[in-house]
Amino acid sequence: MFCYQCEQTAKGQGCTQVGVCGKNHDVATLQDLLIYALKGLSLVALEARKLKIKDDAIDKFTYEAVFSTLTNVDFDPERFVKLINQCVKLRDELKLKVKSDFSDGPASFVPAKTMDELKAQGEKLGVKSMSGGNADLDSLKQILTYGIKGVCAYADHANILGKNDDEVANFVYEGLAATLNPNLNLDDLVGLVLKCGQANLKAMELLDAGNTGTYGHPVPTQVPLGTKKGKAILVSGHDLKDLEEILKQSKGKGIYVYTHGEMLPTHGYPELKKYDHFYGHYGTAWQNQAKEFSEFPGAIVMTTNCIQKPKDTYKDNIFTTGLVGYPGVTHVANKDFTSVIKKAMDMKGFTEDMPGKTVMVGFARNTVMQVAGKVIDGVKNKAIRHFFLVAGCDGAKPGRNYYTEFVEKIPKDCVVLTLACGKFRFFDKDLGDIGGIPRLLDIGQCNDAYSAIQIAVALAGAFNCGVNDLPLSMILSWYEQKAVAILLTLLYLGIKNIRLGPSLPAFISTNVLNFLVEKFNIMPIKTPDEDLKAILG
């Protein structure tokens, strides 16, 4: 195996024996084989679209299949076998409609019959085998591939809520097919990478419309970090629809529902807040789940990425759903959470109330723009000197304490906006307020990056300047491929001076990095003191 798609990849170079994420050789090679098969499907889908032949079911499958290859989503090799065979079946059915000649490559690939033979195919068709011998072209193709993985994740979330757009599907097929084209030069691939950012902006816009259209615009909400005496279900991941179904199905059963990780911001949605047994938030970010889940006395549901190998202490009470999978873990299909509720009722739950801190969520674009006048006045009268967007993924790799220290050292006349699980480095700190505006504003999940972009665009409009001219600095942390897609969106929008950490991607070549530095002034984080001095003077 060889995998370097996440920030924690071994030695900052690539995982070759077992993934730092926990995936083994079998899963890694089958994921590579699935991506290869999807490139073949993309070639045929592009030809079909030229003939005005479209199939929403194929689009949906493509989003789901690509999403399943993200870091920390699916560790079950049997499920990848099914996806590979389904991909080829859909491809061949579409080929009959297109009637074009696809005589070689992934568009004619035939999957082997046995697991061992499939793994052998995956070994031949992995990341390194697809190299064209030019490090910079290879780098851009990998950036494009990982960006598309992020796009498909957001598109899948939006699709679940009934939001779709041909622009996104068209690009996914175009981008995957382009990675097979040996005639593309650096300019071609840079253009496709930025176009990936454009497609991701559309996917995030669709997801935002799905979330707010279904559950209302988030409102400022105090979320308890303590626990209530009683039976309990813990919901982790990102999927609002799964959370809603769990709340509906557990209503009136004496069970309290808690969020974990990226589900924290869901407490701000009016249509979810109406459930009386939707109580509070338990735990922090994904990489701490082994300890936190071991101590949770109820059922646990992983709705999307970020599952880790479950410990024996909670393997019997953790469930996966949607695209998440782990061998030996009970999977919930068709959004029927009866087994989860039964497990919660059978477990002891919390035996007493344990009060704790509270944190504020619900500062998405609608809320922030309602106080835009106060924000603008605060900047003009110098009560607010600067805004910092400190956002992105959390992770276990050393160096992420930078983000805690950075926020702690930000001067009191500055406002911190945050989103995604990187916030758990500082989410419970009391930073006070400026003229009634909290200094720490939680915009939401990584899925809510569109909201942060709209806030920045609106502020730029209010000050009659570009986003790059605002008193705003972006300090981002990355871990997996949704973060890659978001970064590409920011670059597509022309946003400069982004600081990225805790380390730069292993799949970016020296020349590609130099290009990003020269064109966008993207830079690695240094120390909090150095970066604050450079930003604020």
Side-chain angles (χ1 to χ4, degrees):
M1 67 173 284
F2 179 80
C3 181
Y4 60 177
Q5 69 176 4
C6 85
E7 189 270 336
Q8 293 186 180
T9 195
K11 299 179 182 179
Q13 298 174 341
C15 297
T16 57
Q17 301 299 319
V18 65
V20 173
C21 65
K23 71 179 175 183
N24 59 26
H25 172 271
D26 294 358
V27 171
T29 55
L30 291 171
Q31 286 182 344
D32 286 345
L33 191 59
L34 176 58
I35 290 296
Y36 182 77
L38 285 161
K39 291 178 180 181
L41 175 60
S42 296
L43 287 169
V44 180
L46 283 176
E47 288 301 311
R49 287 181 174 238
K50 291 178 184 177
L51 300 172
K52 308 299 182 185
I53 300 171
K54 295 189 296 183
D55 189 329
D56 291 342
I58 292 179
D59 297 348
K60 182 176 186 294
F61 169 81
T62 301
Y63 298 150
E64 291 177 345
V66 175
F67 190 1
S68 72
T69 69
L70 262 74
T71 305
N72 290 15
V73 178
D74 192 350
F75 293 82
D76 188 342
E78 295 294 339
R79 289 174 63 178
F80 285 108
V81 172
K82 293 177 182 177
L83 287 169
I84 291 165
N85 285 305
Q86 187 179 358
C87 180
V88 170
K89 180 176 181 290
L90 290 171
R91 181 203 70 195
D92 288 347
E93 290 173 350
L94 193 57
K95 282 168 73 172
L96 294 174
K97 299 177 183 178
V98 173
K99 299 178 182 177
S100 291
D101 180 30
F102 294 100
S103 57
D104 57 12
S108 60
F109 156 72
V110 178
K113 299 297 183 183
T114 70
M115 177 69 82
D116 286 343
E117 290 171 331
L118 282 168
K119 288 185 291 186
Q121 287 181 320
E123 289 165 2
K124 290 180 181 179
L125 299 168
V127 173
K128 285 198 167 182
S129 71
M130 300 299 287
S131 170
N134 182 306
D136 300 325
L137 295 177
D138 290 345
S139 176
L140 286 166
K141 287 181 179 180
Q142 292 308 315
I143 294 170
L144 178 58
T145 300
Y146 302 144
I148 288 170
K149 290 190 178 192
V151 171
C152 285
Y154 293 126
D156 179 61
H157 285 302
N159 186 276
I160 288 169
L161 296 173
K163 297 295 181 180
N164 303 283
D165 191 286
D166 280 344
E167 177 186 331
V168 177
N170 287 343
F171 176 76
V172 169
Y173 299 132
E174 177 188 1
L176 286 174
T179 64
L180 299 166
N181 189 343
N183 299 317
L184 298 180
N185 60 31
L186 288 172
D187 288 340
D188 295 330
L189 287 168
V190 167
L192 282 165
V193 164
L194 295 179
K195 191 173 180 180
C196 183
Q198 180 183 19
N200 189 59
L201 181 63
K202 171 57 69 173
M204 291 193 300
E205 180 185 7
L206 292 170
L207 177 55
D208 179 87
N211 284 339
T212 58
T214 307
Y215 303 108
H217 283 277
V219 296
T221 303
Q222 290 276 5
V223 183
L225 300 182
T227 57
K228 290 279 284 184
K229 179 180 178 179
K231 307 293 184 178
I233 294 174
L234 185 63
V235 185
S236 192
H238 303 77
D239 195 276
L240 273 62
K241 182 65 176 175
D242 286 331
L243 174 60
E244 180 190 27
E245 287 299 324
I246 290 168
L247 288 168
K248 281 181 180 178
Q249 294 173 38
S250 61
K251 183 178 180 180
K253 298 184 183 297
I255 299 172
Y256 288 105
V257 175
Y258 298 81
T259 54
H260 176 270
E262 287 259 48
M263 296 301 278
L264 168 62
T266 61
H267 288 273
Y269 285 93
E271 290 302 307
L272 299 176
K273 284 163 59 72
K274 69 183 183 183
Y275 292 94
D276 293 339
H277 62 303
F278 188 27
Y279 177 66
H281 187 79
Y282 177 93
T284 51
W286 65 270
Q287 76 276 4
N288 301 318
Q289 65 188 250
K291 178 180 185 299
E292 294 169 354
F293 289 1
S294 293
E295 297 170 354
F296 189 78
I300 303 162
V301 183
M302 297 299 302
T303 66
T304 57
N305 58 313
C306 299
I307 193 171
Q308 292 182 297
K309 180 181 180 179
K311 295 179 70 173
D312 290 341
T313 49
Y314 62 88
K315 195 168 185 178
D316 288 342
N317 58 296
I318 187 171
F319 299 78
T320 59
T321 193
L323 301 178
V324 193
Y326 210 98
V329 171
T330 302
H331 188 74
V332 174
N334 303 317
K335 299 194 183 297
D336 179 0
F337 293 98
T338 303
S339 57
V340 174
I341 294 167
K342 182 179 185 304
K343 176 60 71 172
M345 296 299 293
D346 290 343
M347 296 183 70
K348 68 177 183 178
F350 290 102
T351 57
E352 59 181 337
D353 290 350
M354 293 290 291
K357 284 184 174 182
T358 62
V359 294
M360 285 286 289
V361 300
F363 293 99
R365 73 179 195 282
N366 201 52
T367 296
V368 173
M369 297 325 299
Q370 286 178 4
V371 296
K374 292 179 67 174
V375 171
I376 293 165
D377 289 343
V379 174
K380 288 181 175 178
N381 65 28
K382 301 189 183 322
I384 299 175
R385 179 173 23 157
H386 205 84
F387 298 91
F388 291 90
L389 177 65
V390 186
C393 312
D394 204 359
K397 191 174 178 180
R400 291 181 182 270
N401 59 316
Y402 164 95
Y403 297 93
T404 308
E405 187 180 346
F406 187 91
V407 169
E408 289 175 338
K409 290 185 172 182
I410 289 174
K412 296 186 183 302
D413 58 355
C414 300
V415 173
V416 179
L417 299 95
T418 191
L419 56 81
C421 63
K423 71 168 69 81
F424 289 109
R425 293 284 167 171
F426 49 81
F427 81 123
D428 58 350
K429 295 188 178 297
D430 184 3
L431 300 186
D433 67 88
I434 300 175
I437 300 170
R439 286 190 58 232
L440 180 60
L441 301 176
D442 185 350
I443 298 171
Q445 300 179 335
C446 70
N447 293 17
D448 298 310
Y450 177 80
S451 206
I453 291 169
Q454 293 307 304
I455 290 171
V457 170
L459 288 174
F463 287 108
N464 195 27
C465 66
V467 171
N468 290 319
D469 301 314
L470 286 171
L472 168 68
S473 298
M474 297 188 182
I475 319 295
L476 306 182
S477 55
W478 81 283
Y479 171 63
E480 43 87 290
Q481 298 75 60
K482 286 191 286 185
V484 175
I486 292 171
L487 179 61
L488 297 185
T489 294
L490 296 175
L491 299 183
Y492 160 72
L493 293 170
I495 294 175
K496 298 183 177 182
N497 307 317
I498 297 168
R499 285 172 166 80
L500 183 67
S503 62
L504 296 178
F507 50 80
I508 293 185
S509 69
T510 300
N511 288 333
V512 171
L513 177 60
N514 289 340
F515 166 78
L516 295 176
V517 171
E518 181 179 340
K519 185 170 180 63
F520 299 102
N521 198 31
I522 193 169
M523 63 194 89
I525 58 172
K526 295 181 179 179
T527 68
D529 288 328
E530 287 177 290
D531 288 341
L532 282 168
K533 183 176 180 180
I535 294 167
L536 297 175

